[in-house]
Amino acid sequence: MSDLTIFAPLAGWVTPLAQVPDAVFAEKMLGDGIAIDPVGDMLCAPCDATVLTVHEAGHAVTLRSVQGFELICHIGIDTVSLGGKGLVPQVQAGTKVLAGQPLIRFDLDALVRNAPAVVTPIIVADASLYGVEPIACGMVAVGDPLLRVVPLASSTMAVAASGETLVRELAVGLSHGLHARPAARLVEVVRRHEAQVMLLHGERHASGLSAVGLLGLGLGHGATVRVEASGPQASAALAEIVALLSDTTPEDTPADAPEPMRGEGPGLGGVPAAPGLAIGAIHRLNRAAIPVETVAASADEERARLAGALSQVRDALALAAAAGGARGGVMAAHGAMLADPTLSDGAMAGVARGLSAGVAWQEAIAEQVANLMSSGDRRIAERADDLRDLERHVLAALAGLPIEGPSVPAGAILVAEDLLPSQVAALDAAAVAGIALVKGGPTSHAAILAAGMGVPMAVAFGQPLAALEDGRVIVLDADRGLIDPEPDADAQAEVRQTIARRKAEMEAARAAQGPCRTADGVRIEMFANLGSVADAEAAVAEGAEGCGLLRTEFLFLDRATAPTRDEQARDYQAIADALGDRPMIVRLLDVGGDKPAPYMDLPVEENPALGLRGIRVSLADPQLLEDQVGAILSVRQPCRIMAPMVASLSELEAVRAVVERHGRKAEVGVMIETPAAAISADILARKADFFSIGTNDLTQYTLAMDRGNAAVAAGVDGLHPAVLRLIGTTCDGAAEHDTPVGVCGSLAADRLAVPILLGLGVTELSVPPARVAAIKALVGKLDLARCRVVAGQALQLSSAASVRAHITTMLQEIGA
Ligand code: PEP
Ligand code: MG
């Protein structure tokens, strides 16, 4: 990466400057750059730099990078008028900062409520000297490469100072002083004239061509400034500048940016993330609700309070971790972070310095967040979100608030900008009717957790959802990613009936004995995706007939060292025991790409989704593969072994060779997750004992859309006809060798996908435990002959949306 790279100073959505609702930024009056619509609460340094100014309202900083270019970071639009409310600078003029170091903490909720926009421009000052090339789009985390700065051949023509220098001294009339917007206008005035202009205030002076220099003067309302102008048009320039600085009319709020419209028509359009139907009143998540006591009692008392809160949170996390599953994994990871003495020692040191327990905890967290950010490693920086979660947990414990996370009234639909995985994990699944997000991605960890909990969720509704008021009753159709914001009494009654009917069918499916079959008697294996013993127990209780995907990487999420063969053997055996004599497909470790493994030293890659991941990692580390295969084969019940991310027959052969060396028989299958595997399914089927289609990855690789990138979230739909055609190709290739085909990606749990999958030839579905009963009930209503017809029709449609509409009609017709 070049030296002139600027890193994202905020987590959030990258937004072109042209979309910032303020002409000063949108028209690049201050310089070129980019904006970020923030989702976090900290502005960090975008590069190694010296802080030049921190505006007294705390909303903007200017910096000089070590390479010499100057930057303006301006939190939100028109935030100068907040007078510092909700903005806490962490640095002062002169501070030297490293990329990722905190600059300004802000209360996002307060800004959203009180400012016209929170989108935050990051500007490289002086467009005549520097251009920029964006590197990132969509959602970024702090520390992601954002922009490349390109020095230009200077186009500024020096204006010969001729004749006398005109001077005016005046008091600044501007109601908010000389902040970013008027500074940009002043630079514009100077550029339009053949004149040299200098502004002087006390000891400081700045060229009229330097927006950063002008901000650095710190000219508040009423401050005295001396303006000096020379050159042929000095007089005209001076007159305009004086008029600009003396203007006392209250400043306009800039026009709102045009919002990209989604969900036109009667409903709001989003993206399905966890299936299901819900009706309920909107309950908006209030992230800023934890009060912090800032006045310290005696150090002993504060120490005791902090220790009490820490141990309370530790116990709660341990309890949640013990329950296992994806939720347990997240909680265990948080528990491990809390156990790190650096945090508690740092906070206790703060208490010894006279801080209250809450403030000391906040400071300790901020310090560790800054450390993570400055690592320059995106995966490490992502742990900062977990630290922020921990910050909230301990602050809540100190404030005597429940630490289980957001308490949502029973039957409500939770609406938020975005949710952290732990926030989803902390929800009471029985109480929350559904989740709808303004932003978010359909395959995020938050979505996977919601699906596992059986909570319907749809994401990426955009501003139309943000505009709906608390308490309004809405219908959320998470199967199709739609919201009806104004359901009339009839529509409400119909939805309630459908939900009640599906629930009754699920209960019947749970209670039903005997194997899963279609209405016309065709056997379909109904398996579950597992990540823990708790998952296995839940799956059996839901009526699962086996495990179609054991995500072995989930078992060792929070490990600092690689699990030994014996540890693995113990865990696999425990899961097999929970399944009884039901079959179990164990997937070989699937790390790399979007699945970091803290205990492995995987390289940071330019293009991780196309890099060292899945089976490639195991083949690159023979001992790793050897240990895992050995552990799987040691399980008393026979297990099937499945290789992830296969692209070529040789990878399957390599795994089979390892299995054979152990001298035990086991079925070996491959996941069909790459277009290469789907297209050459007939070749793979010669040697594979079974196939299982990983539709999550198959979708991202077929559509060339990153499954974790919110900017393309709306397009990442496995019902795209191109993905369905590859599933069809896989089934056809498998049929040539009688190789059974299952699906373990999210499509298997999607009601609208099931008829197509069965129609194309899939005979096994593996879904999250919470979806087993619902999908089993649905299969029981389907007729395979009809499924074949609709599958053939779906392959001829042109979009995922038309496929969804087509199958919705079909299911309505059969009363499913
Ligand atoms: C898939 O890609 O569909 C799959 C099941 O694997 P994972 O989601 O774990 O990558
Ligand atoms: Mg996958």
Side-chain angles (χ1 to χ4, degrees):
M1 202 62 67
S2 121
D3 279 343
L4 296 182
T5 300
I6 292 181
F7 300 91
L10 294 158
W13 287 57
V14 173
T15 308
L17 271 195
Q19 285 179 20
V20 173
D22 185 340
V24 161
F25 299 110
E27 291 170 18
K28 303 184 184 172
M29 293 183 198
L30 286 167
D32 207 349
I34 205 148
I36 295 180
D37 208 351
V39 296
D41 60 1
M42 185 72 84
L43 174 77
C44 300
C47 55
D48 298 351
T50 304
V51 177
L52 297 177
T53 60
V54 181
H55 194 283
E56 61 180 14
H59 70 297
V61 287
T62 60
L63 307 162
R64 179 173 301 112
S65 72
V66 289
Q67 295 88 356
F69 56 86
E70 293 177 346
L71 283 154
I72 303 165
C73 305
H74 193 281
I75 299 175
I77 299 305
D78 208 27
T79 35
V80 63
S81 57
L82 301 180
K85 219 171 94 200
L87 294 148
V88 188
Q90 314 283 309
V91 288
Q92 51 198 1
T95 310
K96 287 197 185 333
V97 289
L98 293 174
Q101 198 169 322
L103 297 176
I104 300 175
R105 179 188 280 277
F106 52 93
D107 177 344
L108 186 57
D109 286 343
L111 296 193
V112 167
R113 280 196 303 273
N114 298 312
V118 291
V119 64
T120 295
I122 315 299
I123 305 291
V124 179
D126 205 339
S128 66
L129 292 178
Y130 295 101
V132 301
E133 286 171 1
I135 303 174
C137 65
M139 190 75 176
V140 286
V142 172
D144 283 353
L146 181 69
L147 283 180
R148 194 162 290 124
V149 179
V150 186
L152 306 173
S154 174
S155 59
T156 333
M157 283 203 311
V159 178
S162 67
E164 58 179 331
T165 296
L166 305 179
V167 178
R168 276 291 298 274
E169 238 178 59
L170 71 154
V172 174
L174 297 162
S175 51
H176 298 308
L178 187 65
H179 63 94
R181 206 174 319 140
R185 297 228 157 90
L186 199 151
V187 171
E188 271 265 300
V189 171
V190 179
R191 284 227 176 94
R192 272 192 282 108
H193 292 87
E194 270 187 73
Q196 281 193 323
V197 174
M198 207 64 178
L199 274 77
L200 299 93
H201 173 59
E203 304 272 271
R204 301 183 214 165
H205 61 276
S207 155
L209 279 172
S210 164
V212 172
L214 292 173
L215 294 176
L217 293 176
L219 287 173
H221 172 77
T224 305
V225 61
R226 177 183 161 98
V227 187
E228 297 179 354
S230 58
Q233 296 183 327
S235 164
L238 188 62
E240 274 196 50
I241 291 168
V242 168
L244 189 154
L245 290 172
S246 324
D247 191 356
T248 53
T249 46
E251 291 187 48
D252 286 344
T253 296
D256 282 343
E259 281 296 342
M261 272 305 293
R262 304 202 48 183
E264 282 173 27
L268 273 51
V271 181
L277 188 62
I279 180 168
I282 291 181
H283 177 83
R284 210 168 286 277
L285 185 65
N286 184 0
R287 280 181 299 180
I290 306 176
V292 179
E293 177 57 73
T294 51
V295 181
S298 75
D300 279 348
E301 278 170 86
E302 294 298 331
R303 212 171 281 123
R305 288 186 64 222
L306 183 57
L310 289 174
S311 96
Q312 193 185 336
V313 174
R314 207 170 293 127
D315 290 351
L317 290 174
L319 209 63
R327 175 178 190 228
V330 173
M331 295 299 153
H334 283 189
M337 290 181 110
L338 192 66
D340 183 340
T342 325
L343 269 179
S344 46
D345 290 356
M348 287 301 180
V351 167
R353 289 199 315 274
L355 299 178
S356 71
V359 174
W361 181 245
Q362 282 177 309
E363 284 209 348
I365 292 275
E367 195 177 323
Q368 291 311 311
V369 167
N371 274 343
L372 292 182
M373 296 302 183
S374 62
S375 70
D377 181 326
R378 177 193 170 135
R379 285 174 308 180
I380 295 177
E382 277 171 1
R383 306 306 290 250
D385 267 351
D386 295 304
L387 279 175
R388 293 191 184 102
D389 256 4
L390 273 184
E391 178 178 20
R392 292 179 58 79
H393 285 178
V394 173
L395 292 180
L398 283 168
L401 296 170
I403 52 175
E404 307 79 68
S407 69
V408 180
I413 293 180
L414 179 61
V415 170
E417 273 292 286
D418 208 347
L419 287 178
L420 295 167
S422 62
Q423 288 175 301
V424 175
L427 290 170
D428 176 358
V432 187
I435 299 173
L437 298 185
V438 173
K439 294 179 176 169
T443 53
S444 61
H445 282 120
I448 289 172
L449 287 174
M453 293 157 66
V455 176
M457 171 167 165
V459 300
F461 284 99
Q463 279 314 109
L465 175 62
L468 296 182
E469 72 280 8
D470 248 27
R472 174 195 279 263
V473 172
I474 60 171
V475 169
L476 170 68
D477 179 347
D479 294 332
R480 290 190 292 159
L482 293 175
I483 284 178
D484 179 352
E486 285 176 301
D488 61 22
D490 287 350
Q492 290 195 26
E494 197 185 319
V495 169
R496 286 187 207 283
Q497 250 177 28
T498 307
I499 293 173
R501 195 194 65 230
R502 286 189 190 170
K503 204 167 154 214
E505 286 169 1
M506 268 172 64
E507 258 139 43
R510 250 182 229 126
Q513 301 297 317
C516 172
R517 289 186 191 280
T518 60
D520 49 344
V522 180
R523 173 83 174 105
I524 302 294
E525 287 178 305
M526 182 48 58
F527 285 179
N529 295 345
L530 309 179
S532 66
V533 176
D535 282 351
E537 286 162 354
V540 169
E542 292 289 319
E545 300 166 349
C547 163
L549 167 66
L550 173 61
R551 287 186 162 104
T552 53
E553 61 281 355
F554 274 21
L555 288 167
F556 309 109
L557 265 183
D558 55 333
R559 293 281 304 232
T561 54
T564 64
R565 176 183 156 147
D566 287 350
E567 284 171 318
Q568 294 186 59
R570 240 188 342 264
D571 281 10
Y572 303 153
Q573 184 62 58
I575 292 169
D577 289 344
L579 286 172
D581 54 5
R582 294 169 184 81
M584 172 157 106
I585 298 178
V586 183
R587 175 171 73 182
L588 297 174
L589 204 61
D590 185 19
V591 294
D594 63 334
K595 294 176 187 156
Y599 52 87
M600 288 185 74
D601 195 18
L602 295 173
V604 176
E605 295 171 305
E606 184 87 358
N607 214 338
L610 306 182
L612 197 58
R613 60 162 302 192
I615 194 63
R616 299 168 196 177
V617 175
S618 301
L619 293 178
D621 186 344
Q623 192 58 50
L624 185 81
L625 181 60
E626 186 67 31
D627 285 347
Q628 187 168 30
V629 168
I632 298 169
L633 293 177
S634 76
V635 174
R636 286 185 293 280
Q637 298 85 330
C639 295
R640 302 177 200 170
I641 295 177
M642 177 159 80
M645 295 298 304
V646 166
S648 308
L649 185 65
S650 59
E651 292 159 328
L652 166 64
E653 288 171 336
V655 174
R656 195 181 281 289
V658 176
V659 173
E660 281 169 3
R661 266 208 308 281
H662 279 263
R664 281 196 59 178
K665 280 215 167 316
E667 286 189 21
V668 181
V670 297
M671 287 190 79
I672 304 291
E673 302 190 272
T674 63
I679 293 166
S680 52
D682 55 334
I683 299 172
L684 291 171
R686 290 181 204 149
K687 297 272 176 77
D689 293 316
F690 62 92
F691 285 162
S692 185
I693 306 179
T695 52
N696 307 334
D697 278 310
L698 185 61
T699 304
Q700 83 162 340
Y701 292 120
T702 304
L703 301 179
M705 289 180 177
D706 181 346
R707 62 192 267 191
N709 183 337
V712 294
V716 186
D717 191 331
L719 285 182
H720 190 295
V723 182
L724 297 180
R725 285 176 180 218
L726 283 182
I727 295 174
T729 305
T730 303
C731 293
D732 293 346
E736 290 180 23
H737 300 275
D738 287 332
T739 306
V741 181
V743 174
C744 61
S746 325
L747 224 47
D750 184 334
R751 292 172 53 75
L752 300 181
V754 172
I756 302 177
L757 297 177
L758 301 192
L760 290 176
V762 168
T763 54
E764 175 237 310
L765 298 171
S766 192
V767 303
R771 294 290 291 162
V772 167
I775 298 300
K776 201 169 176 183
L778 175 64
V779 170
K781 294 186 147 205
L782 298 174
D783 176 278
L784 197 63
R786 176 127 194 221
C787 288
R788 288 201 184 107
V789 173
V790 290
Q793 291 164 338
L795 297 193
Q796 299 310 316
L797 295 173
S798 62
S799 68
S802 30
V803 172
R804 288 195 177 275
H806 185 60
I807 306 298
T808 302
T809 312
M810 176 230 167
L811 291 182
Q812 274 161 358
E813 281 169 12
I814 64 168

